[in-house]
Every structure is written in structure tokens, then in C-alpha cells.
């Protein structure tokens, strides 16, 4: 579904993405892990169009989407959430959902879909509250629901479990599994090996902006290079 080919991105002297090549197969929940600063978020920023790659290609279902605007990439079927949630605090929960939808969609249908999604994540009773009044966990749920408003085929989740309590963590895992059953492919950045073991296959490991390993969670855990990347320096 998604192919990243020889991708390069530097910020001044910092090479954040270093000839990175990887693949996300359709129907998978693929994990992206790596030490802090290894370039995970930068990779997501390029796939979703927030920053332009310096070189290489990003191919979605055979179509080159590298360097397109975020709007066009969303249209191509890619949605994402952020490490630090980005909801509009002075808009209501419902408005946050609607503003993310493609502008040519039928308004009634969008509202219906928005309500279904808010219901799905369990915050429909908050639909008329300002997003700024939501708890941290509720914002994570709103972002997750919002990512699905345009029926994407690929959803990028940047640390969906960070700072989330165990109960909500369990909920998020269930939501991801259910959406995956409905046909959505996930690419998930996270740190918690326990969750990744139960949720993701395969796991891709990056370090210094390049892929150093790929395999099942069990394979990755036994990989010496991965161990070195996390603990060696
Ligand atoms: P991760 O998400 O794996 O923790 P990032 O992708 O956020 O890592 O960062 C990778 C590297 O790129 C880091 O060295 C970080 O400081 C640098 N970096 C990321 N974004 C920018 C930016 N906008 N400007 C300058 N440097 C950046
Ligand atoms: Mg990050």
C-alpha cells in the first residue's frame, strides 16, 4: 500500500531521514519504533505532506504522493494523528470532526458519520463541548475519531498511547483493531513493547533516519542491532 523509497530529509546539518526505504502492506497494523530523535515523526510528516522530502519517493497504491500538499495526500486516502494532539480548542468536538472532512462532501452525511465515529470512541456526549475542555485522553480519542472522517485507507498514528492510562490504552487498542477489521491499514509509532507485541505486525525499527530491522515483535526483541540502537550508546 505504502512504499517509501530512498527518502532523504535534512534539517541543516541534521539528517533526520537517511535514505530510508520501507513498505507498509495493505491490511496490516505496522509498527514504527526507534530511539528518541531517530526520525519517526519526521517520516510521518513527509508521508502526510507537512514537510517536503529532499529526495526519494513516497508511493501510495502505485501513485507518487511525495511532496504533495497535506490536503491532496488526505484526498489520496492518508490520515494521521499527532504526538501532541492538535485539536482546535475553541471549536466544539463536532466542529473539530466536520472541519476535517473534504469540503465537497454532503453535510448531512458528514454529520452522521461524525456522530457514528464519536459514538464509536465513546465521546458523543461531548459533541457540543469545546474541544479545549476535553481531558488529555478525550483529545486523543477525538483525534483518532477525526482521522477516520474521510474513510482513509491508511492511518498514521504518532504515539497514540503516550501518557494514556491503562484503561484508555485498552480502549485505543480495541478501536485500532476494530478499524483494522473494517479494512483500514495502520502505521503506528510507539514505544511500549507490550502493546506493540499484542497489536502490531510487522515491526519496523529505525535509527538515525534509516531502517535497521524489520520483523515480528519477537524477532525484533532478539535483534542485536536493535538492542544496540536503544541501549548501546
Ligand atoms: P522521533 O519522532 O523519532 O523522536 P523526530 O523525527 O522528531 O524524531 O526528529 C528526528 C531528528 O530531526 C531530531 O534530531 C530532531 O531534532 C530533528 N528535527 C525534527 N524536526 C525538525 C525541524 N523542524 N527542524 C530542525 N530539526 C528537526
Ligand atoms: Mg516523534
Amino acid at each position: 500500500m505504502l512504499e517509501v523509497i530512498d527518502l532523504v530529509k535534512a534539517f541543516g546539518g541534521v539528517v533526520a531521514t537517511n535514505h530510508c526505504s520501507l513498505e507498509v502492506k495493505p491490511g496490516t497494523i505496522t509498527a514504527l519504533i526507534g530511539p528518541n530523535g531517530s526520525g519517526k515523526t519526521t517520516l510521518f510528516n513527509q508521508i502526510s505532506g507537512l514537510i517536503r522530502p529532499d529526495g526519494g519517493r513516497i508511493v501510495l497504491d502505485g501513485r507518487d504522493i511525495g511532496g504533495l500538499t497535506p490536503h491532496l495526500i488526505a484526498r489520496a486516502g492518508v490520515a494521521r494523528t499527532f504526538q501532541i494532539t492538535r485539536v482546535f480548542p475553541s471549536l466544539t468536538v463536532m466542529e473539530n470532526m466536520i472541519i476535517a472532512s473534504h469540503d465537497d462532501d454532503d453535510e448531512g452525511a458528514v454529520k452522521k458519520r461524525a456522530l457514528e465515529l464519536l459514538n464509536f470512541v465513546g465521546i458523543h456526549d461531548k459533541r457540543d463541548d469545546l474541544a479545549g475542555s476535553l481531558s488529555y485522553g478525550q483529545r486523543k480519542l477525538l483525534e483518532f475519531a477525526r482521522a477516520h472522517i474521510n474513510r482513509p485507507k491508511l492511518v498514521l498514528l504518532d504515539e497514540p498511547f503516550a501518557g494514556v492510562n491503562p484503561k484508555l490504552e485498552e480502549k485505543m487498542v480495541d478501536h485500532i483493531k476494530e478499524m483494522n477489521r473494517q479494512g483500514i491499514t495502520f502505521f503506528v509509532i510507539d514505544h511500549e513493547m507490550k502493546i506493540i507485541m499484542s497489536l502490531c505486525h510487522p515491526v519496523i525499527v529505525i535509527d538515525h533516519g534509516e531502517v535497521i530491522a524489520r520483523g515480528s515483535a519477537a524477532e525484533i526483541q532478539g535483534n542485536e542491532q536493535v538492542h544496540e540502537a536503544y541501549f548501546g550508546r
Side-chain angles (χ1 to χ4, degrees), residues 94 98 106-118 149 151:
M94 191 62 174
I98 288 167
D106 169 65
E107 203 187 306
V110 170
K111 275 199 176 147
K112 185 162 169 280
R113 169 108 181 121
L115 267 181
E116 282 167 8
L117 286 166
L118 290 175
I149 192 76
R151 300 182 188 278

PDB file of all heavy atoms in Angstrom, residues 94 98 106-118 149 151:
ATOM      1  N   MET A  94     -17.790  18.389  17.774  1.00  0.00           N
ATOM      2  CA  MET A  94     -18.434  18.125  16.485  1.00  0.00           C
ATOM      3  C   MET A  94     -17.793  18.969  15.374  1.00  0.00           C
ATOM      4  O   MET A  94     -17.521  18.465  14.287  1.00  0.00           O
ATOM      5  CB  MET A  94     -19.927  18.441  16.613  1.00  0.00           C
ATOM      6  CG  MET A  94     -20.736  17.981  15.450  1.00  0.00           C
ATOM      7  SD  MET A  94     -20.640  16.170  15.298  1.00  0.00           S
ATOM      8  CE  MET A  94     -21.796  15.903  14.002  1.00  0.00           C
ATOM      9  N   ILE A  98     -16.076  17.952  11.748  1.00  0.00           N
ATOM     10  CA  ILE A  98     -16.594  18.411  10.457  1.00  0.00           C
ATOM     11  C   ILE A  98     -15.539  19.178   9.662  1.00  0.00           C
ATOM     12  O   ILE A  98     -15.423  19.032   8.446  1.00  0.00           O
ATOM     13  CB  ILE A  98     -17.883  19.239  10.670  1.00  0.00           C
ATOM     14  CG1 ILE A  98     -18.998  18.267  11.081  1.00  0.00           C
ATOM     15  CG2 ILE A  98     -18.267  20.016   9.423  1.00  0.00           C
ATOM     16  CD1 ILE A  98     -20.215  18.916  11.619  1.00  0.00           C
ATOM     17  N   ASP A 106     -21.299  15.776   1.279  1.00  0.00           N
ATOM     18  CA  ASP A 106     -22.644  16.155   1.696  1.00  0.00           C
ATOM     19  C   ASP A 106     -22.688  16.381   3.212  1.00  0.00           C
ATOM     20  O   ASP A 106     -22.268  15.526   3.991  1.00  0.00           O
ATOM     21  CB  ASP A 106     -23.613  15.041   1.281  1.00  0.00           C
ATOM     22  CG  ASP A 106     -24.972  15.212   1.902  1.00  0.00           C
ATOM     23  OD1 ASP A 106     -25.630  16.218   1.568  1.00  0.00           O
ATOM     24  OD2 ASP A 106     -25.362  14.376   2.742  1.00  0.00           O
ATOM     25  N   GLU A 107     -23.185  17.556   3.622  1.00  0.00           N
ATOM     26  CA  GLU A 107     -23.117  17.954   5.024  1.00  0.00           C
ATOM     27  C   GLU A 107     -23.838  16.997   5.960  1.00  0.00           C
ATOM     28  O   GLU A 107     -23.324  16.645   7.022  1.00  0.00           O
ATOM     29  CB  GLU A 107     -23.690  19.371   5.156  1.00  0.00           C
ATOM     30  CG  GLU A 107     -23.186  20.087   6.396  1.00  0.00           C
ATOM     31  CD  GLU A 107     -23.903  21.411   6.601  1.00  0.00           C
ATOM     32  OE1 GLU A 107     -23.902  22.221   5.643  1.00  0.00           O
ATOM     33  OE2 GLU A 107     -24.449  21.615   7.689  1.00  0.00           O
ATOM     34  N   GLY A 108     -25.016  16.571   5.550  1.00  0.00           N
ATOM     35  CA  GLY A 108     -25.785  15.637   6.378  1.00  0.00           C
ATOM     36  C   GLY A 108     -25.041  14.334   6.588  1.00  0.00           C
ATOM     37  O   GLY A 108     -24.981  13.810   7.714  1.00  0.00           O
ATOM     38  N   ALA A 109     -24.453  13.839   5.513  1.00  0.00           N
ATOM     39  CA  ALA A 109     -23.728  12.571   5.581  1.00  0.00           C
ATOM     40  C   ALA A 109     -22.494  12.709   6.474  1.00  0.00           C
ATOM     41  O   ALA A 109     -22.169  11.796   7.242  1.00  0.00           O
ATOM     42  CB  ALA A 109     -23.330  12.128   4.178  1.00  0.00           C
ATOM     43  N   VAL A 110     -21.827  13.862   6.382  1.00  0.00           N
ATOM     44  CA  VAL A 110     -20.634  14.097   7.215  1.00  0.00           C
ATOM     45  C   VAL A 110     -21.015  14.111   8.688  1.00  0.00           C
ATOM     46  O   VAL A 110     -20.356  13.485   9.525  1.00  0.00           O
ATOM     47  CB  VAL A 110     -19.939  15.425   6.822  1.00  0.00           C
ATOM     48  CG1 VAL A 110     -18.868  15.781   7.844  1.00  0.00           C
ATOM     49  CG2 VAL A 110     -19.331  15.322   5.437  1.00  0.00           C
ATOM     50  N   LYS A 111     -22.110  14.807   9.007  1.00  0.00           N
ATOM     51  CA  LYS A 111     -22.561  14.882  10.410  1.00  0.00           C
ATOM     52  C   LYS A 111     -22.892  13.493  10.941  1.00  0.00           C
ATOM     53  O   LYS A 111     -22.555  13.162  12.082  1.00  0.00           O
ATOM     54  CB  LYS A 111     -23.791  15.785  10.514  1.00  0.00           C
ATOM     55  CG  LYS A 111     -23.399  17.242  10.630  1.00  0.00           C
ATOM     56  CD  LYS A 111     -24.536  18.070  11.179  1.00  0.00           C
ATOM     57  CE  LYS A 111     -24.073  19.505  11.369  1.00  0.00           C
ATOM     58  NZ  LYS A 111     -25.134  20.484  11.141  1.00  0.00           N
ATOM     59  N   LYS A 112     -23.544  12.712  10.120  1.00  0.00           N
ATOM     60  CA  LYS A 112     -23.935  11.360  10.526  1.00  0.00           C
ATOM     61  C   LYS A 112     -22.695  10.519  10.804  1.00  0.00           C
ATOM     62  O   LYS A 112     -22.597   9.855  11.832  1.00  0.00           O
ATOM     63  CB  LYS A 112     -24.784  10.740   9.409  1.00  0.00           C
ATOM     64  CG  LYS A 112     -25.357   9.389   9.746  1.00  0.00           C
ATOM     65  CD  LYS A 112     -26.520   9.045   8.813  1.00  0.00           C
ATOM     66  CE  LYS A 112     -26.922   7.582   8.954  1.00  0.00           C
ATOM     67  NZ  LYS A 112     -26.064   6.663   8.217  1.00  0.00           N
ATOM     68  N   ARG A 113     -21.751  10.604   9.880  1.00  0.00           N
ATOM     69  CA  ARG A 113     -20.507   9.854  10.037  1.00  0.00           C
ATOM     70  C   ARG A 113     -19.742  10.328  11.279  1.00  0.00           C
ATOM     71  O   ARG A 113     -19.197   9.524  12.032  1.00  0.00           O
ATOM     72  CB  ARG A 113     -19.658  10.039   8.773  1.00  0.00           C
ATOM     73  CG  ARG A 113     -18.243   9.548   8.870  1.00  0.00           C
ATOM     74  CD  ARG A 113     -18.030   8.290   8.060  1.00  0.00           C
ATOM     75  NE  ARG A 113     -16.667   7.787   8.163  1.00  0.00           N
ATOM     76  CZ  ARG A 113     -16.360   6.580   8.623  1.00  0.00           C
ATOM     77  NH1 ARG A 113     -17.300   5.741   9.005  1.00  0.00           N
ATOM     78  NH2 ARG A 113     -15.110   6.188   8.681  1.00  0.00           N
ATOM     79  N   ALA A 114     -19.716  11.658  11.488  1.00  0.00           N
ATOM     80  CA  ALA A 114     -19.027  12.228  12.652  1.00  0.00           C
ATOM     81  C   ALA A 114     -19.635  11.684  13.948  1.00  0.00           C
ATOM     82  O   ALA A 114     -18.913  11.285  14.864  1.00  0.00           O
ATOM     83  CB  ALA A 114     -19.097  13.747  12.617  1.00  0.00           C
ATOM     84  N   LEU A 115     -20.955  11.665  14.001  1.00  0.00           N
ATOM     85  CA  LEU A 115     -21.624  11.152  15.206  1.00  0.00           C
ATOM     86  C   LEU A 115     -21.335   9.684  15.431  1.00  0.00           C
ATOM     87  O   LEU A 115     -21.081   9.249  16.565  1.00  0.00           O
ATOM     88  CB  LEU A 115     -23.140  11.361  15.084  1.00  0.00           C
ATOM     89  CG  LEU A 115     -23.675  12.648  15.689  1.00  0.00           C
ATOM     90  CD1 LEU A 115     -25.189  12.727  15.526  1.00  0.00           C
ATOM     91  CD2 LEU A 115     -23.308  12.744  17.184  1.00  0.00           C
ATOM     92  N   GLU A 116     -21.354   8.910  14.349  1.00  0.00           N
ATOM     93  CA  GLU A 116     -21.034   7.480  14.456  1.00  0.00           C
ATOM     94  C   GLU A 116     -19.639   7.278  15.038  1.00  0.00           C
ATOM     95  O   GLU A 116     -19.429   6.436  15.906  1.00  0.00           O
ATOM     96  CB  GLU A 116     -21.088   6.814  13.074  1.00  0.00           C
ATOM     97  CG  GLU A 116     -22.493   6.507  12.580  1.00  0.00           C
ATOM     98  CD  GLU A 116     -22.522   6.155  11.082  1.00  0.00           C
ATOM     99  OE1 GLU A 116     -21.438   5.995  10.469  1.00  0.00           O
ATOM    100  OE2 GLU A 116     -23.631   6.057  10.557  1.00  0.00           O
ATOM    101  N   LEU A 117     -18.695   8.086  14.535  1.00  0.00           N
ATOM    102  CA  LEU A 117     -17.309   7.945  14.991  1.00  0.00           C
ATOM    103  C   LEU A 117     -17.153   8.380  16.450  1.00  0.00           C
ATOM    104  O   LEU A 117     -16.452   7.736  17.228  1.00  0.00           O
ATOM    105  CB  LEU A 117     -16.369   8.741  14.086  1.00  0.00           C
ATOM    106  CG  LEU A 117     -16.110   8.119  12.713  1.00  0.00           C
ATOM    107  CD1 LEU A 117     -15.455   9.125  11.770  1.00  0.00           C
ATOM    108  CD2 LEU A 117     -15.231   6.874  12.825  1.00  0.00           C
ATOM    109  N   LEU A 118     -17.819   9.487  16.821  1.00  0.00           N
ATOM    110  CA  LEU A 118     -17.753   9.956  18.217  1.00  0.00           C
ATOM    111  C   LEU A 118     -18.384   8.916  19.135  1.00  0.00           C
ATOM    112  O   LEU A 118     -17.906   8.658  20.244  1.00  0.00           O
ATOM    113  CB  LEU A 118     -18.454  11.309  18.359  1.00  0.00           C
ATOM    114  CG  LEU A 118     -17.744  12.489  17.698  1.00  0.00           C
ATOM    115  CD1 LEU A 118     -18.595  13.752  17.800  1.00  0.00           C
ATOM    116  CD2 LEU A 118     -16.365  12.718  18.315  1.00  0.00           C
ATOM    117  N   ILE A 149     -12.706  10.421   9.520  1.00  0.00           N
ATOM    118  CA  ILE A 149     -13.893  11.081   8.946  1.00  0.00           C
ATOM    119  C   ILE A 149     -13.973  10.920   7.416  1.00  0.00           C
ATOM    120  O   ILE A 149     -15.054  10.802   6.866  1.00  0.00           O
ATOM    121  CB  ILE A 149     -13.964  12.582   9.368  1.00  0.00           C
ATOM    122  CG1 ILE A 149     -15.332  13.193   9.023  1.00  0.00           C
ATOM    123  CG2 ILE A 149     -12.857  13.413   8.751  1.00  0.00           C
ATOM    124  CD1 ILE A 149     -16.437  12.804   9.943  1.00  0.00           C
ATOM    125  N   ARG A 151     -12.927   8.409   5.625  1.00  0.00           N
ATOM    126  CA  ARG A 151     -12.749   6.997   5.258  1.00  0.00           C
ATOM    127  C   ARG A 151     -11.386   6.754   4.589  1.00  0.00           C
ATOM    128  O   ARG A 151     -11.303   6.329   3.433  1.00  0.00           O
ATOM    129  CB  ARG A 151     -13.866   6.524   4.321  1.00  0.00           C
ATOM    130  CG  ARG A 151     -15.241   6.641   4.932  1.00  0.00           C
ATOM    131  CD  ARG A 151     -16.314   6.110   4.002  1.00  0.00           C
ATOM    132  NE  ARG A 151     -17.630   6.409   4.520  1.00  0.00           N
ATOM    133  CZ  ARG A 151     -18.262   5.698   5.452  1.00  0.00           C
ATOM    134  NH1 ARG A 151     -17.689   4.630   5.955  1.00  0.00           N
ATOM    135  NH2 ARG A 151     -19.460   6.047   5.882  1.00  0.00           N
TER     136      ARG A 151
END
